[in-house]
Amino acid sequence: MATRKRLGDLLQEAGLVTGKQINEALENKKPSQKLGDALLERGYITERQLIEVLEFQLGIPQVSLYQYPVDEQVLGLVSKEVAQRNFIMPLKIQGRSLLLAMKDPMDYYIIDDLELSTGLSISPVIATKDDILFAINKYYFKEDNRINIDLIEGEDEAPVIRLLDQLLSGAIRLRASDIHIDPQEDNVYVRYRIDGRLQTEKLVPKELLNALVARIKILADLNITQTRLPQDGRIKMNVDQIPVDLRISCLPTVFGEKVVIRVLDLNNALMQLSELNLTKENHQKYRQLITQPTGLVLLTGPTGSGKTSTLYASINHLNKEHVNIVTVEDPVELPLKGINQVQVNSSIGLTFANGLRSILRQDPNIIMVGEIRDQETAEIAIRSSLTGHLVFSTLHTNSAIDTVPRLIDMGVEPYLVVSALNGVVAQRLVRRICRDCQTEREATEMEKDIFHKYGFEVDHVYYGKGCSSCHQQGYRGRVAVHEVLVLDETLKTMLLNRATMKAVKQYASEHGMKFLIQDGLEKVNAGITTMEEIMQISISI
């Protein structure tokens, strides 16, 4: 076995981290978190760098499990639970050794345990965490796919319970935001939305659909006999020891009920302002906006652009003992300590507008309205901001500057909109280049022209060529692209006098506002995302 060295020493010897960074990671890491994970979380190293150091310093080879021929007979030597908990994957037996893929080949406790339990010596190889999870999902759950349909027709519901557990476990491991259960004529497709893209995970026999939907409805406390009307619900549960909040939506289709499950990992749900990917300039502007004593701050963008995450990070930043914060949401996505959250319930008349009226009698300092959907809500929110409250809300518009005409189109008086509005943040989410396979390439003439148009001169850009860390996608995770519009007195006067949007845009640009396309190009230039991603979200190239 390799000499038992400490990871921190290996990384320092390789010159990847300083002693100060290691001490900081050790001081701030969660109790059960390993040093390597803490360093990765802080961005001091990439997973690829960590693997290369271990490979070089310990002489342990690295493997890619994407198409690795795993001997399925060895799966019985390591239980699924042990594999999931320790991020390990048995591959094959070589002589008297078990070849074991490990995220952390310096985890000598698990090596010793397995040598005792299997009677074999352990021969570790290194693989990425996602690669191991992918292999566990592919091989350990293979048996679960062959569900005995006869059992479903009897009273034993265990196979369907196991199937749902498997779907939820897979979603958590692959960092999926949604699970789509799509009934078609002959089969049921299960698709995961990962980093904004849907991908088919598996096919389920059509005979299992009704039992699977019934299981989901029972957990969500929905009416299992109602199959002809849409229903919505939610489930709070632990999946693989991780607390999750599941939002359930059932929709009757011609081939049966389609179910979409929105997955919220409660461990990683609440972000800090510093984690919102705002540039230094935009971060400063936004902090200034949300620390005003009164006024209206709006977040805009399409569904799934991360508006709620930004709202929660802002509210959490302002959550102090001397401040009364009240929210009215549909639904309450994340319970926050010290904040009074109201759930909209239209069936009994508790709408955004009615909830907002009641909130004003609760002596609030800060109000958050989940979404401005109509004139009534818009007017109450605006009048609240003019009577000494700081109000946050969201709106669906294409850009920050389109917000004012959108509110006026709703029927709100222009002078009220202009008087109340402090600023608007528009945002989109784009996929982040995988840090482990980030590759430089020469920029095309068209790309150079686009950069030049917005004041950048570039010779090269970046892309992800695909690796085991990102399942050959080239992307891993998402990053937000923003534009922050702060309304000064001149801008308010221009809007009040019905200046053209072109003039407003030009004034904002001359006074330092960076539009979505410019923020996106900066992130392309920094190697964070690709031109292809920015081209999809920008309407002004």
Side-chain angles (χ1 to χ4, degrees):
M1 188 181 285
T3 311
R4 300 198 167 188
K5 294 184 180 180
R6 292 191 311 175
L7 179 62
D9 297 335
L10 292 179
L11 293 170
Q12 271 187 275
E13 282 170 29
L16 289 174
V17 292
T18 63
K20 184 182 175 187
Q21 287 174 326
I22 287 174
N23 289 335
E24 187 189 314
L26 286 169
E27 282 170 23
N28 297 314
K29 76 182 184 71
K30 295 161 194 157
S32 58
Q33 194 177 34
K34 293 185 176 177
L35 174 62
D37 290 333
L39 292 167
L40 284 169
E41 200 175 86
R42 279 163 180 72
Y44 293 152
I45 54 171
T46 68
E47 195 166 13
R48 180 67 51 206
Q49 287 173 327
L50 179 59
I51 285 173
E52 283 171 1
V53 165
L54 293 172
E55 188 176 20
F56 178 72
Q57 299 279 16
L58 301 178
I60 297 174
Q62 179 201 344
V63 295
S64 168
L65 302 182
Y66 190 63
Q67 290 179 316
Y68 195 92
V70 173
D71 179 0
E72 295 182 40
Q73 291 184 341
V74 302
L75 298 179
L77 297 173
V78 180
S79 74
K80 180 171 69 181
E81 290 69 31
V82 169
Q84 286 176 322
R85 189 167 60 246
N86 297 288
F87 301 109
I88 57 176
M89 179 71 198
L91 303 178
K92 60 185 175 185
I93 291 175
Q94 297 174 322
R96 293 295 303 153
S97 289
L98 173 64
L99 191 68
L100 186 73
M102 304 182 71
K103 182 185 83 115
D104 179 9
M106 300 178 77
D107 189 343
Y108 301 116
Y109 293 110
I110 189 66
I111 290 174
D112 292 345
D113 283 352
L114 287 177
E115 286 186 335
L116 276 171
S117 65
T118 63
L120 299 166
S121 65
I122 299 298
S123 178
V125 291
I126 312 168
T128 63
K129 177 181 171 183
D130 277 8
D131 220 8
I132 290 170
L133 291 176
F134 174 82
I136 290 171
N137 197 44
K138 181 178 176 182
Y139 290 100
Y140 275 100
F141 287 116
K142 201 178 249 184
E143 288 304 311
D144 289 356
N145 288 343
R146 304 182 186 128
I147 291 170
N148 185 344
I149 292 164
D150 297 332
L151 287 174
I152 304 300
E153 292 162 359
E155 294 182 4
D156 188 349
E157 293 181 338
V160 163
I161 294 170
R162 203 164 64 241
L163 174 61
L164 182 58
D165 288 348
Q166 175 195 342
L167 296 181
L168 295 174
S169 291
I172 292 292
R173 286 196 302 277
L174 297 170
R175 303 186 314 277
S177 60
D178 301 86
I179 306 169
H180 288 241
I181 299 169
D182 288 336
Q184 299 300 316
E185 193 165 4
D186 301 318
N187 282 306
V188 178
Y189 286 81
V190 176
R191 298 187 292 168
Y192 288 162
R193 188 177 292 281
I194 301 169
D195 295 336
R197 301 293 171 101
L198 274 173
Q199 60 188 56
T200 300
E201 177 63 18
K202 55 169 58 72
L203 288 178
V204 173
K206 187 69 181 281
E207 293 86 343
L208 297 186
L209 178 65
N210 291 342
L212 182 58
V213 173
R215 171 69 184 160
I216 293 167
K217 285 183 175 179
I218 288 165
L219 290 173
D221 202 19
L222 298 176
N223 183 354
I224 62 169
T225 62
Q226 178 56 269
T227 58
R228 295 185 299 171
L229 286 174
Q231 293 189 74
D232 295 308
R234 69 192 306 169
I235 307 167
K236 274 198 175 173
M237 64 191 297
N238 285 343
V239 177
D240 298 339
Q241 285 81 52
I242 296 167
V244 293
D245 187 2
L246 307 173
R247 294 240 309 275
I248 311 296
S249 174
C250 304
L251 183 73
T253 71
V254 288
F255 295 124
E257 283 187 276
K258 172 180 166 67
V259 179
V260 176
I261 304 173
R262 168 67 56 90
V263 183
L264 185 67
D265 178 350
L266 295 173
N267 278 347
N268 301 315
L270 187 58
M271 300 169 80
Q272 304 299 318
L273 274 186
S274 56
E275 297 174 303
L276 295 177
N277 313 120
L278 288 156
T279 60
K280 192 175 178 183
E281 195 180 325
N282 280 344
H283 186 264
Q284 199 176 343
K285 281 184 184 176
Y286 188 60
R287 277 183 76 111
Q288 209 173 333
L289 276 181
I290 67 172
T291 48
Q292 299 289 326
T294 63
L296 178 65
V297 177
L298 290 176
L299 278 97
T300 78
T303 303
S305 59
K307 299 188 299 292
T308 306
S309 296
T310 304
L311 268 184
Y312 274 131
S314 311
I315 291 290
N316 195 46
H317 177 74
L318 298 169
N319 187 10
K320 303 285 187 290
E321 191 185 347
H322 61 273
V323 175
N324 180 22
I325 302 176
V326 191
T327 75
V328 53
E329 305 169 59
D330 183 22
V332 173
E333 303 235 0
L334 187 66
L336 297 174
K337 267 186 186 170
I339 290 174
N340 311 285
Q341 294 167 280
V342 177
Q343 167 82 49
V344 164
N345 187 344
S346 304
S347 62
I348 57 168
L350 180 50
T351 60
F352 275 119
N354 290 340
L356 192 45
R357 279 197 192 90
S358 303
I359 282 173
L360 291 171
R361 294 192 283 273
Q362 289 280 318
D363 184 31
N365 301 97
I366 298 168
I367 299 168
M368 181 184 113
V369 185
E371 189 183 336
I372 291 178
R373 293 179 183 168
D374 51 44
Q375 180 186 350
E376 190 181 11
T377 310
E379 283 189 345
I380 303 167
I382 285 170
R383 289 183 192 279
S384 305
S385 67
L386 290 171
T387 52
H389 306 96
L390 180 62
V391 180
F392 290 90
S393 193
T394 67
L395 195 66
H396 289 275
T397 63
N398 285 329
S399 69
I401 286 173
D402 288 338
T403 303
V404 174
R406 173 86 180 90
L407 286 168
I408 293 169
D409 286 346
M410 273 185 170
V412 184
E413 290 293 338
Y415 75 91
L416 284 176
V417 176
V418 172
S419 306
L421 201 57
N422 288 350
V424 185
V425 178
Q427 70 177 63
R428 304 284 190 280
L429 290 178
V430 293
R431 290 186 293 171
R432 186 193 285 269
I433 296 173
C434 172
R435 289 174 67 188
D436 289 328
C437 61
Q438 185 193 61
T439 310
E440 191 178 297
R441 69 167 172 80
E442 198 174 315
T444 64
E445 287 305 312
M446 188 182 83
E447 286 168 344
K448 287 178 182 176
D449 289 345
I450 292 169
F451 273 109
H452 179 72
K453 181 181 171 186
Y454 290 97
F456 298 89
E457 296 302 329
V458 298
D459 298 317
H460 57 262
V461 291
Y462 300 88
Y463 73 102
K465 64 180 180 184
C467 67
S468 55
S469 294
C470 58
H471 305 315
Q472 314 303 321
Q473 296 293 310
Y475 296 97
R476 193 172 175 208
R478 288 194 288 177
V479 63
V481 175
H482 303 92
E483 60 184 25
V484 181
L485 173 68
V486 179
L487 273 75
D488 62 15
E489 288 308 315
T490 308
L491 207 49
K492 288 188 175 190
T493 305
M494 287 175 76
L495 290 164
L496 207 50
N497 293 332
R498 299 289 179 97
T500 63
M501 285 300 108
K502 188 179 177 183
V504 170
K505 198 172 180 180
Q506 190 177 342
Y507 174 84
S509 178
E510 286 167 1
H511 287 76
M513 179 179 169
K514 286 187 175 163
F515 299 101
L516 283 172
I517 176 66
Q518 290 165 294
D519 191 39
L521 290 176
E522 278 187 22
K523 287 179 168 120
V524 172
N525 197 25
I528 295 169
T529 189
T530 61
M531 280 297 286
E532 290 76 15
E533 287 292 296
I534 298 304
M535 299 279 269
Q536 286 181 34
I537 61 108
S538 178
I539 56 169
S540 56
I541 285 182

